[in-house]
Amino acid sequence: MDFVAAIIVTFNPDKATLHKLIDAISVQVDYVCVVDNNSPQEIKQFILGILKDNGGLVSLEENYGIASAINHGVFRAREKNASHVVLFDQDSLPEPDMVDTLLTVMNEKTRLGCHVAAVGPRYSDIKGQHAAPFVKLQGIRLRRIDCAENEIVTVDHLISSGSLISMKALEEIGLMEEDLFIDYVDTEWCLRAIHKGYQIYGVGSARMKHDLGDEYANLFGRTFPVHHPLRHYYTVRNGIWLIQQSWVSFSWKVMDFRRLFLIYLVFSFFVGKRLLNMKMLSLGVWHALIGKMGKYGE
């Protein structure tokens, strides 16, 4: 019998948005675990107040990052004897049938003999401005896959939010890499799963809304999300760390090195707080090379 636990990671969430997410997911799963990364006490009380009878809160005493928070949620799901977990950021909103759709696909693929690590939904911007395709590595480029309603596509990467993962896969592939703290957490896990012989699928008929961010920079014919300089630090540091792992394919290394170089160039010289960006990006490169991982400043 399938038992699905939702894991929602929070850090100073918008109350209204989180309330909508908990209302939407509580009726789709058997258990909802909110893992809070040390938000103020008032936020924690709010979360306890909106959780349903099938919900619980794991309150962390400091911000350990998204990878650690997900892992704490997995530990709670194991205590509940869950067969699957479905992951959510605090600013996502699943359609009413999303979990059932994903679970049906995962069970069917497993019945056919596939080693399924994760299945994920199509997602669009919660503000209705952008729709995000799935991605798959083709040669040394990431190919955008616009998955139709009735399609199921093999992909190389899913964002963590909305992903349905079996507990069996987590046991064999391992938990999220906590040293990454934030950024590349989902990418690293997906690539590790593929390296171990698992498949990852995007499901066109499963839908979710997700906050893709407010600002974008268009340069060199490409669109770049604009983040705080500290986020750029994590992106470059974790990306270079991943490139150094022996089990990552050569094609991925070439593709992502080129992407990271472009990020360094764009945000150091053309977009945002350029000098501060350059400082944090350079520090990220250095820390990746010397193996200084974890939370920035520790």
Side-chain angles (χ1 to χ4, degrees), residues 81-254:
N81 295 315
S83 60
H84 300 77
V85 294
V86 58
L87 311 179
F88 288 101
D89 295 342
Q90 63 195 25
D91 48 11
S92 297
L93 185 64
E95 293 292 328
D97 61 347
M98 191 200 85
V99 174
D100 279 347
T101 302
L102 292 176
L103 187 60
T104 298
V105 170
M106 177 171 279
N107 287 340
E108 178 62 18
K109 290 290 185 182
T110 301
R111 187 185 67 78
L112 293 173
C114 301
H115 295 287
V116 184
V119 293
R122 285 195 294 172
Y123 65 94
S124 57
D125 187 25
I126 208 160
K127 299 178 294 298
Q129 297 171 345
H130 300 278
F134 294 112
V135 294
K136 185 171 180 62
L137 192 63
Q138 188 174 55
I140 58 171
R141 293 184 179 276
L142 276 184
R143 180 166 63 92
R144 299 162 65 90
I145 303 173
D146 294 310
C147 182
E149 181 76 23
N150 61 345
E151 283 187 295
I152 300 169
V153 295
T154 306
V155 299
D156 285 324
H157 167 244
L158 294 170
I159 65 167
S160 59
S161 193
S163 295
L164 178 76
I165 305 172
S166 73
M167 294 297 283
K168 181 176 183 294
L170 281 167
E171 289 167 7
E172 295 180 359
I173 297 163
L175 296 174
M176 305 297 153
E177 178 54 66
E178 296 188 10
D179 273 351
L180 298 177
F181 190 75
I182 190 173
D183 234 328
Y184 272 85
V185 172
D186 42 18
T187 301
E188 188 275 339
W189 190 87
C190 287
L191 293 183
R192 184 164 18 117
I194 291 169
H195 174 70
K196 294 192 175 188
Y198 278 81
Q199 288 84 46
I200 298 171
Y201 296 97
V203 181
S205 55
R207 303 300 301 269
M208 182 182 76
K209 293 179 180 177
H210 182 69
D211 192 344
L212 298 176
D214 295 320
E215 291 186 62
Y216 291 85
N218 293 295
L219 208 63
F220 305 132
R222 295 185 59 172
T223 301
F224 299 87
V226 179
H227 295 301
H228 187 278
L230 180 59
R231 184 66 182 272
H232 294 315
Y233 161 85
Y234 283 118
T235 297
V236 170
R237 187 199 68 177
N238 295 351
I240 292 176
W241 176 89
L242 186 58
I243 286 171
Q244 295 178 86
Q245 304 310 301
S246 60
W247 49 268
V248 174
S249 72
F250 179 75
S251 295
W252 180 275
K253 292 179 180 184
V254 173

